[in-house]
Amino acid sequence: MTTVQAGPTPDDRRWKALAVCLTAGFISLLDTSIVNVALPSMEHGLGASEAAQSWVVSGYALTFGLALVPAGRLGDMRGRRQAFLLGLALFTLASAACGLAPGPSWLVVFRLIQGAAAGMVAPQTSGLIQQMFQGSERAKAFGLLGSVIGVSTAVGPLAGGVLIDAVGTDDGWRWVFFVNLPIGVAAFAAGLRLLPRFPAAAGKRETFDLFGVLLLGSGVLALMLPLVQEQQWTGRLKWSLLPVAALLLAAFWTWERRQGRCGRDPLVDLELFSLRSFTLGALVSLTYFAGFTTVFFVYTLFLQNTVGYSALAAGLTVLPFAAASAVGAAAGGRLVVRFGRKLVVIGLAGVALGLLGVVAAVELVPGRNVGWATALPLLIGGIGSGLTVSPNTTLTLTRVPVHRAGAAGGVLQTGQRVGSAAGIAVVGAVYFAHQAGPGYSATAIQLGLLTAVGLIMAALVLAVADLRERRTRPEPARTGERIRRGAAEGGAEEPVRPGT
């Protein structure tokens, strides 16, 4: 008697497609932090000036943030599969070009392209999750995405340190980019085979709001430039761009409202902000990322410049946070169905507690043993981070109509990029202002981390306020005429848990 082997089920295919999305998301987010420890190698091997090094880091963050919302909207309109594969192919090619760059100027140009490609990939991931999964499965998928976000950001300095230690100072920086090539090619080949082809929505053909893209892009550019260049642009004139950014973003808001009233297709459906879960969740995400991502920036600088750690040793020190974040995010993806916003509150409190533990460890255990002393606090903070990122993402997007999921995911992640840039500017300014020169001094890192804790506490206040509001006034299942129309077209799914 012969046994017929069953082929892969549609359920298996969905989870394999998710693995492709998470792999692409991992390498694009890894590149936000992996280059930090490679900057001395770029200076030594390529002759990159401080200005060029700054643009290698900040330029990626800038174009990443600028591309998110337009790319998300493009995916909503023309298909997330196509937009994802195009972005991944461009990211892989740009990574190769960065590694082969003959000079600093070319490296900066290719790095800007790489950032824009990463911005194309990111919103498609959250949009595809919205399309492929529902209910508790969606929460689990966002839990895995939260693991990727936490681990990729935290493990970047370690990966960069390992590569430079293995290859050498002269060419180590090139392998920081070359490492993306086999991963990117494999993910692209798997994506061609596994990513689902969703049919276009019936009805009128949607148009792309080009003027809205120009207004939003100009506003985000004016907002992020002084933040990402805070250390390089001396003087106060750079801050004059902030009121310009406010005017441009106000003009964008007015234009988008006009688009909606006239029955045209906006870049961002502003009625999404009538959903309390989306608005509060986006604000929590912005303020949390302002505190969370700065930790690795100032802490690894402290370990290398003050304590005397190598790039590899500094990267290994943050490994407890990365590992715990992955575990916490996976657990958060399961528990959010049961506990809702309370889980985010617990997670934020855990991150704040862990960072306060790092502050105490730096004071009590000076010298080279500080890395061991901070392992347990970083472990606690990592678990809290995992319980924050994935549940908050799930709760923020759960009531968003699927046909707007790409643009909504782009808005959410744009807030994360802006928050990261603002946090690095603020925390970095505090850290550098209190450096005491050569020798060991805990003051700068302690004040920097306390500033990061303050930002995380602001996110905690928002989460608690949202939790109390939900208890007294539960949010309606769907809000706004356009949201209701989206749901009628197969849009919003049921919430993870009503009233949580």
Side-chain angles (χ1 to χ4, degrees):
M1 181 177 177
T2 60
T3 302
V4 178
Q5 294 290 334
T9 66
D11 188 63
D12 292 336
R13 191 181 182 91
R14 284 185 302 133
W15 289 104
K16 289 178 180 178
L18 175 65
V20 173
C21 294
L22 297 183
T23 300
F26 178 82
I27 57 175
S28 62
L29 288 170
L30 183 73
D31 268 54
T32 63
S33 60
I34 194 173
V35 298
N36 289 336
V37 296
L39 296 178
S41 176
M42 290 176 193
E43 181 179 9
H44 188 273
L46 193 65
S49 64
E50 287 189 6
Q53 293 174 52
S54 170
W55 272 102
V56 166
V57 176
S58 61
Y60 183 89
L62 190 63
T63 53
F64 194 138
L66 288 173
L68 283 165
V69 174
R73 180 69 181 123
L74 189 66
D76 290 342
M77 291 172 53
R78 299 290 184 258
R80 298 187 182 104
R81 180 182 186 273
Q82 296 92 314
F84 177 90
L85 291 173
L86 176 62
L88 179 57
L90 184 59
F91 179 86
T92 305
L93 291 172
S95 297
C98 286
L100 295 170
S105 298
W106 283 108
L107 177 58
V108 170
V109 171
F110 295 140
R111 183 72 169 155
L112 293 172
I113 297 171
Q114 189 192 33
M120 288 184 64
V121 170
Q124 316 313 329
T125 298
S126 59
L128 284 165
I129 289 175
Q130 291 280 85
Q131 281 187 292
M132 292 190 295
F133 301 98
Q134 299 178 17
S136 60
E137 283 192 333
R138 180 184 292 176
K140 181 181 178 181
F142 275 125
L144 294 172
L145 178 61
S147 297
V148 167
I149 292 172
V151 171
S152 59
T153 305
V155 84
L158 172 61
V162 168
L163 288 169
I164 291 168
D165 188 65
V167 180
T169 304
D170 286 346
D171 293 320
W173 69 269
R174 296 186 185 275
W175 287 92
V176 163
F177 301 109
F178 286 151
V179 72
N180 294 328
L181 302 187
I183 303 173
V185 170
F188 184 85
L192 282 174
R193 183 169 58 90
L194 294 171
L195 290 178
R197 298 176 183 269
F198 290 102
K204 72 182 184 73
R205 187 177 180 84
E206 295 188 78
T207 57
F208 193 67
D209 182 10
L210 183 58
F211 188 64
V213 171
L214 294 174
L215 284 175
L216 179 61
S218 301
V220 173
L221 181 65
L223 177 61
M224 290 188 69
L225 262 178
L227 298 174
V228 299
Q229 291 295 105
E230 197 274 334
Q231 294 296 319
Q232 285 69 39
W233 290 359
T234 58
R236 298 181 180 179
L237 186 61
K238 60 177 175 283
W239 301 117
S240 63
L241 284 173
L242 295 184
V244 174
L247 288 173
L248 287 168
L249 293 175
F252 169 74
W253 187 275
T254 303
W255 171 260
E256 294 297 286
R257 289 186 63 183
R258 181 176 179 274
Q259 289 285 95
R261 286 197 300 266
C262 295
R264 303 189 186 102
D265 299 308
L267 180 66
V268 176
D269 190 344
L270 297 183
E271 293 225 14
L272 291 172
F273 291 97
S274 65
L275 296 170
R276 189 179 65 237
S277 55
F278 181 79
T279 303
L280 267 295
L283 288 173
V284 168
S285 183
L286 186 150
T287 50
Y288 175 65
F289 270 76
F292 153 65
T293 53
T294 61
V295 174
F296 309 108
F297 174 65
V298 295
Y299 186 55
T300 53
L301 276 178
F302 165 75
L303 290 174
Q304 292 180 81
N305 297 341
T306 301
V307 185
Y309 278 29
S310 66
L312 177 57
L316 285 169
T317 305
V318 299
L319 194 58
F321 190 102
S325 179
V327 173
R334 296 191 299 270
L335 296 175
V336 67
V337 178
R338 180 179 178 185
F339 294 104
R341 183 63 69 182
K342 287 181 285 187
L343 197 62
V344 178
V345 172
I346 294 169
L348 288 167
V351 177
L353 179 64
L355 293 186
L356 290 174
V358 173
V359 172
V362 168
E363 177 66 29
L364 297 173
V365 188
R368 297 186 66 85
N369 288 328
V370 69
W372 293 104
T374 58
L376 180 58
L378 286 174
L379 190 75
I380 295 170
I383 293 173
S385 182
L387 295 177
T388 298
V389 176
S390 61
N392 185 64
T393 302
T394 303
L395 295 167
T396 302
L397 297 178
T398 190
R399 295 176 185 269
V400 172
V402 171
H403 80 292
R404 294 290 188 225
V411 170
L412 180 64
Q413 293 178 72
T414 299
Q416 293 173 359
R417 297 303 107 207
V418 171
S420 297
I424 287 174
V426 173
V427 175
V430 172
Y431 175 77
F432 290 119
H434 292 86
Q435 278 186 309
Y440 187 91
S441 174
T443 303
I445 186 62
Q446 287 175 322
L447 291 175
L449 290 177
L450 287 173
T451 305
V453 170
L455 294 168
I456 291 167
M457 292 301 295
L460 179 59
V461 169
L462 287 168
V464 170
D466 185 34
L467 182 61
R468 293 184 63 182
E469 183 77 5
R470 287 168 186 270
R471 287 174 175 172
T472 56
R473 290 192 302 169
E475 186 173 33
R478 292 172 178 87
T479 307
E481 178 59 35
R482 304 187 74 207
I483 299 296
R484 287 194 293 273
R485 187 171 70 242
E489 295 170 358
E493 304 291 345
E494 289 302 309
V496 171
R497 188 183 183 193
T500 57

